[in-house]
Amino acid sequence: GAVVSQHPSWVICKSGTSVKIECRSLDFQATTMFWYRQFPKQSLMLMATSNEGSKATYEQGVEKDKFLINHASLTLSTLTVTSAHPEDSSFYICSARLSDKNNEQFFGPGTRLTVL
Amino acid sequence: GQNIDQPTEMTATEGAIVQINCTYQTSGFNGLFWYQQHAGEAPTFLSYNVLDGLEEKGRFSSFLSRSKGYSYLLLKELQMKDSASYLCAVDFNDYKLSFGAGTTVTVRA
């Protein structure tokens, strides 16, 4: 089956620093990847759609200058949380769409970010 | 905005059947997904419905009624490992998913 990986799986950083999270589709090409955020005991909230070769599209209320997305290749998208603050602490999950299979999205294992 | 409602918690006995309901009101509809999520892990795909009716896949079945904005996930022959959160999600626009808050299912011996 299609596999999506994320790196790192967890990260702890100081307030004010920037953190980069990678999302890779390991055995398929993904022209579109999605970034979600999940706070404890809440559901996944779509943050942005990452398109290979073009700018990401952000959902309402998500600051594009704070959450930088780069979809550098058909297998890699990165999310950079700039000037992180404690309220950015969350579980960040990416997904990739396998276009030839029922619109199914495959999710990465997630990245737990803790900002001190 | 998108509105997807499902119960917060359900408890059932091992071997029993549980039905998780989901109602939705979204700006668009390109299909409905059910995902299973264990604590601290990413969601895993269970089912996808785009047409009305029942889709059966082993112990799990999913039903959709587009006119009613309603779906359910049926879990049969419950096992302890089925204890997890079950997420209802609607593709509301160009593969973008809006998720419900999730239903935590606890299976008791």
Side-chain angles (χ1 to χ4, degrees), chain B residues 17-82:
Chain B
I17 299 173
V18 69
Q19 177 174 314
I20 307 170
N21 296 322
C22 171
T23 57
Y24 63 89
Q25 289 178 308
T26 54
S27 55
F29 183 84
N30 296 317
L32 186 144
F33 295 81
W34 283 96
Y35 285 88
Q36 180 191 62
Q37 186 180 29
H38 286 99
E41 299 180 10
T44 55
F45 170 82
L46 291 178
S47 69
Y48 171 69
N49 293 70
V50 65
L51 300 176
D52 291 350
L54 186 68
E55 293 278 344
E56 296 187 84
K57 201 187 264 191
R59 294 189 298 115
F60 294 172
S61 302
S62 57
F63 171 83
L64 175 67
S65 169
R66 289 171 295 170
S67 62
K68 295 182 180 178
Y70 168 71
S71 172
Y72 67 73
L73 179 69
L74 196 68
L75 315 179
K76 303 177 211 173
E77 300 169 17
L78 279 174
Q79 302 174 8
M80 299 298 287
K81 67 178 182 180
D82 296 330

Side-chain angles (χ1 to χ4, degrees), chain A residues 34 36 38 43-44 46 49 59 91 93 97 102-105 107-109 112, chain B residues 30 33 35 37 40-43 45 48 87 92 94-97 99-101:
Chain A
F34 301 91
Y36 294 85
Q38 186 176 33
S43 192
L44 282 77
L46 178 66
T49 304
E59 295 303 302
F91 193 48
I93 306 176
R97 190 172 68 86
N102 269 357
N103 300 329
E104 182 177 344
Q105 289 186 28
F107 286 82
R112 173 92 40 207
Chain B
N30 296 317
F33 295 81
Y35 285 88
Q37 186 180 29
E41 299 180 10
F45 170 82
Y48 171 69
L87 309 177
F92 64 94
D94 216 11
Y95 314 111
K96 296 181 181 181
L97 299 183
F99 282 82

